Amino acid sequence: MSSAKVRHQLFLPKPLSDRLEALAAKPGASKSAILADAVAAWLNRRGTSELDDRFGIRLDRMTAALGRVERDGTVILETLALFVRYELAIHAPLAENDQAGRAMAAKRFEAFVSQVSRQVAGGRRAITLDAEQGR
């Protein structure tokens, strides 16, 4: 099924005309076919941004991943806040002169910090989130 063709007369700058002549000189190529393909591609591209076509999917993935990181950070902070609130509520503060209690607290805190450092340095996690288990 052949579509009707319309003749157009157009003017091109000399350097562009020379490039068109060189392309059309190749076997199986014609100026009309080259110009028709170029105009069709240009018109089709007008409706969408070339940057959106190239990077849209990747940006959508990155946005989703960033959303998951933000959600995980919120869960972690809320968990820590609730734990600290609970611990402060159930434990009485140490007396000013309780040096043994303060020394024990400092030792426990140092052990806690060391454990966190080992976990982070080793790339391990104490818990796994649903997202990592393939939910």
Side-chain angles (χ1 to χ4, degrees):
M1 180 169 147
S2 177
S3 61
K5 295 184 179 183
V6 177
R7 180 179 176 92
H8 291 270
Q9 182 176 354
L10 49 112
F11 298 94
L12 299 173
K14 178 73 172 131
L16 189 57
S17 178
D18 292 343
R19 290 176 64 191
L20 178 61
E21 290 287 342
L23 279 175
K26 294 180 181 177
S30 71
K31 291 180 196 176
S32 292
I34 293 168
L35 289 174
D37 288 345
V39 169
W42 188 81
L43 290 173
N44 290 338
R45 194 174 63 235
R46 289 286 305 235
T48 61
S49 167
E50 194 170 326
L51 288 176
D52 284 346
D53 290 345
R54 288 187 178 182
F55 300 112
I57 294 170
R58 190 176 312 164
L59 287 173
D60 288 345
R61 285 185 197 144
M62 290 173 67
T63 300
L66 186 58
R68 289 189 300 272
V69 168
E70 185 178 357
R71 181 204 65 211
D72 291 352
T74 301
V75 168
I76 290 166
L77 287 174
E78 186 63 22
T79 302
L80 179 61
L82 289 173
F83 174 74
V84 168
R85 181 181 292 161
Y86 173 77
E87 286 295 310
L88 291 174
I90 65 167
H91 292 292
L94 294 174
E96 286 293 324
N97 59 358
D98 187 2
Q99 297 306 322
R102 292 185 186 284
M104 179 60 76
K107 185 189 265 187
R108 286 181 178 170
F109 181 73
E110 188 62 37
F112 170 76
V113 170
S114 295
Q115 180 63 26
V116 170
S117 298
R118 282 192 303 275
Q119 292 288 106
V120 170
R124 296 182 309 269
R125 297 177 93 173
I127 61 170
T128 56
L129 300 175
D130 291 339
E132 293 175 350
Q133 295 173 349
R135 204 189 321 176

